[in-house]
DNA sequence: CTGAAAGCGCTAACAA
DNA sequence: TTGTTAGCGCTTTCAG
């Protein structure tokens, strides 16, 4: 491939001058507009492309962001990744996706991480002990960390998530407005995220003066349909009677509830209103189509990566954004909710 | 970070010797076992990590694979990516995911690609004109290309896909064994992949001596539910009567058919058998759970990336695997298919 | 068996 | 306004 030296020779100028011009630092070298033009044109003609390796070598900065994640093949994760990719691309960074297990990171993976000298790291979808461990390690290595979605807020890191509390409230306000008073909650896996949502649910129930029925409040799983189904059945067959609405912490859970409810002979949504959480593509084809809460996954990934880039470029200037960044959710009304009959 | 030089000083040996040992080329330098041990131990104690940038600079090889893809947030794509990541990781390569649109790649994206001097490229989920264009470009740049899933076979590239023909046959053999003779086909977007499946469908129909009913054979979309629904309706309301089974080219299409069929008052699977294609996570929670064809997406991504690594490491030795690599599919029988009544 | 030295392509300080 | 120069950390010849 053509190098700056090649261009320098062709133009009849020193290689340093070419570096100034193509690096956008022409002012430093105070290169004349004419030579600048000639260099730029020659570079294009010759098909010059910067060499990120050489750049990284000499500057000591890698322009690489690493995202540590346990792949779950979910649309959510995919959207977060796409957002992070967009931010990285816009800033000429490379996003290195490093797949690890949810609970464990071995030596070889550490090596694969450090060998590329990442300028920052994102963390996504891991279990809490591993999150803590990685936070400590990255800190020790001097790599700034951003956590996305389900995670704790660490002292020296940024946590980006959607505004789960207001999301739950949006769902509940909608149901309450429809006249529901007997409302159940079906969570996902009982981690920080799902417990947060349960907490918001309880708070809103109390605020609205509605009954808090323990047997209608259950955690289950994000992805294991059997576990979700068991809990859905438990709610619908509760000895204290049936709720008229179920707030779910995921679209998956909501779809399972729909199915179980139909199996119980309930008419949907006349006999039971159900809300999801996420607005996944499938929520629109559920039967009936799901009323749900949209989460800004793409924006979350984008914001997280963007912050890392900023921090890498100017550590001083980086805003000390060390409380969680909450991105807004949105209520999507479809056909799985109806006025109480 | 600690460099080879630091280790060399500590051990009291030259930096070149350290390079030999840590690079696994101790034999080249004929380093004694004792110094070897000391170097390895010191490296570990000091927390040495190779610098991929320096390595790339001097060897002129990047250990980076680029995957050009239009993100569609599908589980399929996610699995392919995971497979490619696994292969890359195993070989100490970095997989750079480069998101582009399905139909167009601009100058800036080209730059972001070339700046990292990829040792190979994968292509995934793009429209055919863009595929052709990229193939030509990559060839000109001397970057070997591997295409995955929906793509043409190019002269100087490897195409990895699942064995779509045998997949369709597996579905049809199953239906035929259940006594079905009036079988319809609902495809996805009419691209290479979906047309291939339609072709296999027709072939098998003829082989089995079954009627080829044109109004029962339709292409639609992979993801647009309205378009799928229209075509499903067209099949079920065909003027020549209703089929007793529908072979779908995707699980999504199959789930839409299920819904439309129920809306038409059909009992499932008694009145209509439906097969999907992919074995997505959701196919197991469809109502009724889908009989479908499993595709080895992870393996496809893995094989594609693995081949690129092999080729990058030893261009001479690389097997001239220039006909499509077809990975086997598998029939998953669930409850959306039943004997003809 | 080990070391000295060249050089990969670039940035940035310093000279002219 | 431009050029010279010194590395960045490593691999790899070539000498000992």
């Amino acid at each position: 491939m053509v190098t700056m030296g090649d261009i320098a020779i062709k133009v009849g100028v020193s290689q340093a001058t070419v570096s100034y011009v193509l690096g956008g630092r022409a002012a430093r070298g105070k290169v004349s507009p004419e030579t600048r033009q000639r260099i730029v044109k020659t570079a294009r003609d010759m098909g010059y492309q910067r060499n990120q390796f050489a750049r990284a070598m000499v500057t000591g900065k890698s322009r690489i962001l690493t995202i540590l994640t346990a792949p779950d093949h979910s649309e959510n994760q995919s959207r977060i990744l796409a957002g992070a990719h967009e931010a990285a691309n816009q800033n000429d960074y490379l996003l290195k996706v490093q797949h690890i297990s949810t609970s464990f990171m071995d030596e070889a993976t550490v090596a694969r991480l450090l060998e590329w000298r990442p300028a920052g790291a994102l963390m996504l979808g891991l279990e809490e002990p591993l999150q803590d461990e990685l936070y400590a390690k990255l800190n020790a290595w001097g790599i700034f960390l951003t956590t996305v979605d389900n995670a704790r807020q660490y002292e020296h890191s940024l946590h980006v998530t959607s505004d789960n509390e207001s999301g739950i409230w949006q769902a509940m306000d909608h149901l309450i407005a429809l006249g529901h008073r007997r409302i159940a909650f079906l969570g996902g896996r009982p981690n920080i995220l799902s417990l947060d949502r349960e907490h918001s649910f309880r708070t809103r129930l109390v605020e609205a003066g509605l009954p808090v029925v323990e047997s209608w409040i259950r955690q289950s799983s994000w992805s294991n349909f059997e576990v979700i189904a068991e809990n859905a059945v438990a709610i619908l067959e509760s000895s204290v009677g049936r709720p008229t609405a179920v707030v779910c912490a995921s679209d998956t859970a909501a779809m399972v509830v729909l199915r179980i409810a139909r199996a119980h002979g309930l008419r949907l949504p006349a006999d039971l209103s159900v809300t999801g959480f996420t607005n996944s593509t499938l929520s629109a084809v559920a039967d009936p189509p799901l009323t749900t809460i949209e989460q800004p996954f793409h924006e979350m990934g984008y914001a997280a990566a963007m912050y890392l880039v900023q921090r890498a470029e100017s550590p001083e200037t980086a805003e000390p954004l060390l409380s969680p960044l909450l991105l807004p959710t949105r209520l999507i009304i479809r056909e799985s909710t109806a006025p109480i009959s």
Side-chain angles (χ1 to χ4, degrees), chain A residues 284-299:
Chain A
V285 270
D287 187 13
L290 272 181
T291 292
T292 189
I293 303 298
E294 179 189 83
Q295 293 181 273
F297 288 113
H298 189 96
E299 288 76 4

Side-chain angles (χ1 to χ4, degrees), chain A residues 41 67 81 102 131 143 232 305-306 331:
Chain A
K41 183 170 183 333
I67 179 158
L81 284 176
T102 51
Q131 289 188 14
I143 301 172
M306 213 59 180
L331 173 70

Side-chain angles (χ1 to χ4, degrees), chain A residues 36-312:
Chain A
R36 223 182 66 79
Q37 291 303 333
R38 279 174 46 227
I39 289 171
V40 169
K41 183 170 183 333
T42 312
R44 197 181 7 255
D45 291 351
M46 298 177 78
Y48 172 79
Q49 294 292 347
R50 285 188 297 196
N51 185 325
Q52 293 285 14
F53 294 95
R55 257 156 63 95
M57 278 277 344
V58 66
T59 59
K61 296 144 125 234
S62 69
R63 305 189 82 80
I64 288 185
L65 261 28
T66 291
I67 179 158
L68 293 162
T69 178
D72 64 1
H73 308 304
S74 71
E75 191 184 334
N76 304 0
Q77 186 167 115
S78 181
R79 288 189 191 279
I80 292 172
L81 284 176
H85 269 117
E86 190 185 335
N89 275 338
Q90 277 181 11
N91 295 281
D92 249 317
Y93 273 63
L94 186 161
L95 184 70
K96 170 169 167 52
V97 179
Q98 184 69 58
H99 283 170
I100 61 181
S101 88
T102 51
S103 58
F104 174 74
M105 178 158 149
D106 62 12
E107 278 299 309
T109 311
V110 168
R112 281 194 296 266
L113 179 86
L114 260 18
E115 283 178 354
W116 292 98
R117 308 287 191 268
L122 309 240
M123 206 165 74
L124 192 56
L126 308 178
E127 283 178 16
E128 280 142 47
L130 180 56
Q131 289 188 14
D132 296 347
E133 185 192 329
L134 286 182
Y135 168 68
K137 277 198 175 139
L138 290 167
N139 246 356
W141 294 325
I143 301 172
F144 191 83
L145 176 69
T146 275
T147 52
V148 187
D149 206 11
N150 175 35
R152 291 235 318 271
Q153 167 68 47
Y154 295 104
E155 202 180 339
H156 190 65
S157 88
L158 174 65
H159 181 214
V160 181
T161 184
S162 52
D163 192 340
N164 291 299
E165 173 163 38
S166 84
I168 289 291
W169 285 46
Q170 285 165 340
M172 294 179 73
D173 288 351
H174 171 62
L175 292 172
I176 290 168
L178 291 173
H180 292 276
R181 295 186 53 80
R182 301 163 58 83
I183 310 180
F185 174 86
L186 179 56
R189 182 147 187 272
N191 54 19
I192 296 175
L193 186 59
S194 194
L195 292 172
D196 256 18
R197 292 186 188 160
E198 178 184 326
H199 180 255
S200 305
F201 173 80
R202 289 175 181 272
T203 309
R204 185 72 185 95
L205 231 39
V206 171
E207 284 222 359
L210 299 180
V212 179
V213 180
E214 290 302 329
S215 62
W216 289 349
I217 302 180
R218 307 187 68 101
Q219 296 286 341
S220 62
S221 162
W222 296 117
S223 55
N224 184 317
F225 302 112
E226 268 99 56
V227 174
I228 299 171
E230 282 165 24
N231 286 283
V233 167
I235 287 173
L236 295 184
E237 297 181 354
S238 163
S239 57
V240 299
R242 225 173 35 223
T244 62
V246 186
V247 170
C248 298
S250 73
D251 285 340
T252 312
M255 290 177 76
V256 172
V257 170
L258 252 30
R259 211 176 125 202
I260 300 288
R262 207 191 312 271
H264 276 67
L266 301 183
R267 292 162 306 151
L268 299 169
D271 298 334
L272 188 75
S273 284
V274 178
T275 64
F277 210 102
T278 285
N279 192 30
S280 57
T281 301
L282 269 126
S283 58
V285 270
D287 187 13
L290 272 181
T291 292
T292 189
I293 303 298
E294 179 189 83
Q295 293 181 273
F297 288 113
H298 189 96
E299 288 76 4
M300 284 158 60
Y302 184 85
M306 213 59 180
Y307 183 75
L308 286 178
V309 169
Q310 266 178 38
R311 239 195 121 81

